[in-house]
mmCIF file of all heavy atoms in Angstrom:
data_model
loop_
_atom_site.group_PDB
_atom_site.id
_atom_site.type_symbol
_atom_site.label_atom_id
_atom_site.label_comp_id
_atom_site.label_asym_id
_atom_site.label_seq_id
_atom_site.Cartn_x
_atom_site.Cartn_y
_atom_site.Cartn_z
ATOM 1 N N TYR B 391 -34.765 69.498 -85.408
ATOM 2 C CA TYR B 391 -36.036 69.671 -84.593
ATOM 3 C C TYR B 391 -37.217 69.999 -85.513
ATOM 4 O O TYR B 391 -37.380 71.091 -85.904
ATOM 5 C CB TYR B 391 -35.879 70.751 -83.513
ATOM 6 C CG TYR B 391 -35.126 70.268 -82.344
ATOM 7 C CD1 TYR B 391 -33.718 70.164 -82.275
ATOM 8 C CD2 TYR B 391 -35.736 69.745 -81.203
ATOM 9 C CE1 TYR B 391 -33.008 69.736 -81.210
ATOM 10 C CE2 TYR B 391 -35.050 69.257 -80.084
ATOM 11 C CZ TYR B 391 -33.697 69.248 -80.130
ATOM 12 O OH TYR B 391 -33.013 68.751 -79.058
ATOM 13 N N LEU B 392 -37.915 68.854 -85.827
ATOM 14 C CA LEU B 392 -39.094 69.034 -86.601
ATOM 15 C C LEU B 392 -40.304 69.263 -85.658
ATOM 16 O O LEU B 392 -40.929 68.321 -85.127
ATOM 17 C CB LEU B 392 -39.321 67.838 -87.456
ATOM 18 C CG LEU B 392 -40.523 67.783 -88.375
ATOM 19 C CD1 LEU B 392 -40.563 68.960 -89.379
ATOM 20 C CD2 LEU B 392 -40.590 66.411 -89.073
ATOM 21 N N ASP B 393 -40.577 70.549 -85.378
ATOM 22 C CA ASP B 393 -41.549 70.842 -84.351
ATOM 23 C C ASP B 393 -42.741 71.693 -84.769
ATOM 24 O O ASP B 393 -43.547 72.080 -84.003
ATOM 25 C CB ASP B 393 -40.884 71.420 -83.113
ATOM 26 C CG ASP B 393 -40.084 72.617 -83.468
ATOM 27 O OD1 ASP B 393 -40.157 73.114 -84.635
ATOM 28 O OD2 ASP B 393 -39.328 73.125 -82.626
ATOM 29 N N GLY B 394 -42.779 72.013 -86.049
ATOM 30 C CA GLY B 394 -43.874 72.836 -86.480
ATOM 31 C C GLY B 394 -43.966 74.273 -85.987
ATOM 32 O O GLY B 394 -44.910 74.957 -86.043
ATOM 33 N N ARG B 395 -42.789 74.716 -85.405
ATOM 34 C CA ARG B 395 -42.812 75.981 -84.732
ATOM 35 C C ARG B 395 -41.955 77.050 -85.505
ATOM 36 O O ARG B 395 -41.835 78.200 -85.057
ATOM 37 C CB ARG B 395 -42.226 75.828 -83.310
ATOM 38 C CG ARG B 395 -43.118 75.027 -82.476
ATOM 39 C CD ARG B 395 -42.419 74.895 -81.079
ATOM 40 N NE ARG B 395 -42.174 76.174 -80.549
ATOM 41 C CZ ARG B 395 -43.025 77.077 -80.093
ATOM 42 N NH1 ARG B 395 -44.283 76.765 -80.010
ATOM 43 N NH2 ARG B 395 -42.611 78.292 -79.641
ATOM 44 N N SER B 396 -41.337 76.698 -86.580
ATOM 45 C CA SER B 396 -40.517 77.596 -87.266
ATOM 46 C C SER B 396 -41.297 78.638 -87.982
ATOM 47 O O SER B 396 -42.334 78.290 -88.604
ATOM 48 C CB SER B 396 -39.657 76.795 -88.212
ATOM 49 O OG SER B 396 -39.078 77.610 -89.170
ATOM 50 N N LYS B 397 -40.809 79.859 -87.936
ATOM 51 C CA LYS B 397 -41.606 80.975 -88.555
ATOM 52 C C LYS B 397 -41.316 80.964 -90.097
ATOM 53 O O LYS B 397 -42.168 81.349 -90.848
ATOM 54 C CB LYS B 397 -41.175 82.321 -87.956
ATOM 55 C CG LYS B 397 -41.687 82.400 -86.557
ATOM 56 C CD LYS B 397 -42.123 83.864 -86.192
ATOM 57 C CE LYS B 397 -42.882 83.853 -84.866
ATOM 58 N NZ LYS B 397 -42.169 83.273 -83.759
ATOM 59 N N ASP B 398 -40.096 80.558 -90.462
ATOM 60 C CA ASP B 398 -39.655 80.709 -91.839
ATOM 61 C C ASP B 398 -39.627 79.382 -92.561
ATOM 62 O O ASP B 398 -39.102 79.197 -93.675
ATOM 63 C CB ASP B 398 -38.301 81.425 -91.998
ATOM 64 C CG ASP B 398 -37.299 80.751 -91.106
ATOM 65 O OD1 ASP B 398 -37.573 79.738 -90.586
ATOM 66 O OD2 ASP B 398 -36.168 81.269 -91.136
ATOM 67 N N GLY B 399 -40.062 78.258 -91.828
ATOM 68 C CA GLY B 399 -40.129 76.944 -92.496
ATOM 69 C C GLY B 399 -38.881 76.218 -92.490
ATOM 70 O O GLY B 399 -38.682 75.163 -93.105
ATOM 71 N N THR B 400 -37.765 76.730 -91.770
ATOM 72 C CA THR B 400 -36.573 76.026 -91.685
ATOM 73 C C THR B 400 -36.545 75.137 -90.461
ATOM 74 O O THR B 400 -37.467 75.144 -89.703
ATOM 75 C CB THR B 400 -35.378 77.038 -91.612
ATOM 76 O OG1 THR B 400 -35.581 77.805 -90.415
ATOM 77 C CG2 THR B 400 -35.341 77.931 -92.829
ATOM 78 N N VAL B 401 -35.524 74.395 -90.289
ATOM 79 C CA VAL B 401 -35.444 73.447 -89.207
ATOM 80 C C VAL B 401 -34.135 73.738 -88.426
ATOM 81 O O VAL B 401 -33.076 73.899 -89.078
ATOM 82 C CB VAL B 401 -35.390 71.931 -89.718
ATOM 83 C CG1 VAL B 401 -35.166 70.977 -88.613
ATOM 84 C CG2 VAL B 401 -36.634 71.654 -90.477
ATOM 85 N N ASP B 402 -34.247 73.817 -87.187
ATOM 86 C CA ASP B 402 -33.056 73.996 -86.343
ATOM 87 C C ASP B 402 -32.279 72.751 -86.188
ATOM 88 O O ASP B 402 -32.868 71.656 -85.829
ATOM 89 C CB ASP B 402 -33.416 74.486 -84.894
ATOM 90 C CG ASP B 402 -33.825 75.929 -84.872
ATOM 91 O OD1 ASP B 402 -33.349 76.702 -85.792
ATOM 92 O OD2 ASP B 402 -34.694 76.290 -84.019
ATOM 93 N N PHE B 403 -31.010 72.745 -86.444
ATOM 94 C CA PHE B 403 -30.121 71.609 -86.177
ATOM 95 C C PHE B 403 -29.289 71.904 -84.933
ATOM 96 O O PHE B 403 -28.595 72.913 -84.854
ATOM 97 C CB PHE B 403 -29.221 71.375 -87.342
ATOM 98 C CG PHE B 403 -29.810 70.682 -88.517
ATOM 99 C CD1 PHE B 403 -30.765 71.419 -89.311
ATOM 100 C CD2 PHE B 403 -29.614 69.330 -88.770
ATOM 101 C CE1 PHE B 403 -31.309 70.808 -90.402
ATOM 102 C CE2 PHE B 403 -30.241 68.700 -89.875
ATOM 103 C CZ PHE B 403 -31.089 69.471 -90.691
ATOM 104 N N VAL B 404 -29.474 71.103 -83.924
ATOM 105 C CA VAL B 404 -28.685 71.276 -82.642
ATOM 106 C C VAL B 404 -27.516 70.340 -82.689
ATOM 107 O O VAL B 404 -27.660 69.161 -82.902
ATOM 108 C CB VAL B 404 -29.529 71.076 -81.405
ATOM 109 C CG1 VAL B 404 -28.748 71.201 -80.135
ATOM 110 C CG2 VAL B 404 -30.734 72.037 -81.471
ATOM 111 N N GLN B 405 -26.329 70.898 -82.500
ATOM 112 C CA GLN B 405 -25.117 70.155 -82.616
ATOM 113 C C GLN B 405 -24.717 69.605 -81.252
ATOM 114 O O GLN B 405 -24.719 70.321 -80.277
ATOM 115 C CB GLN B 405 -23.885 70.973 -83.145
ATOM 116 C CG GLN B 405 -24.203 71.748 -84.424
ATOM 117 C CD GLN B 405 -24.298 70.827 -85.659
ATOM 118 O OE1 GLN B 405 -23.791 69.751 -85.603
ATOM 119 N NE2 GLN B 405 -25.147 71.181 -86.673
ATOM 120 N N PHE B 406 -24.324 68.363 -81.248
ATOM 121 C CA PHE B 406 -23.660 67.782 -80.049
ATOM 122 C C PHE B 406 -22.269 67.326 -80.493
ATOM 123 O O PHE B 406 -22.039 66.472 -81.245
ATOM 124 C CB PHE B 406 -24.458 66.545 -79.594
ATOM 125 C CG PHE B 406 -25.786 66.926 -79.044
ATOM 126 C CD1 PHE B 406 -26.887 67.047 -79.922
ATOM 127 C CD2 PHE B 406 -26.016 67.064 -77.673
ATOM 128 C CE1 PHE B 406 -28.155 67.463 -79.414
ATOM 129 C CE2 PHE B 406 -27.231 67.476 -77.180
ATOM 130 C CZ PHE B 406 -28.358 67.654 -78.043
ATOM 131 N N ASP B 407 -21.309 68.165 -80.022
ATOM 132 C CA ASP B 407 -19.891 67.980 -80.486
ATOM 133 C C ASP B 407 -19.017 67.589 -79.376
ATOM 134 O O ASP B 407 -18.913 68.305 -78.431
ATOM 135 C CB ASP B 407 -19.369 69.281 -81.149
ATOM 136 C CG ASP B 407 -20.048 69.498 -82.561
ATOM 137 O OD1 ASP B 407 -20.754 68.589 -82.955
ATOM 138 O OD2 ASP B 407 -20.001 70.641 -83.023
#
Side-chain angles (χ1 to χ4, degrees):
Chain B
Y391 281 84
L392 178 61
D393 53 10
R395 296 181 49 77
S396 162
K397 293 215 167 56
D398 55 4
T400 60
V401 176
D402 285 331
F403 283 74
V404 178
Q405 307 292 332
F406 292 84
D407 290 347

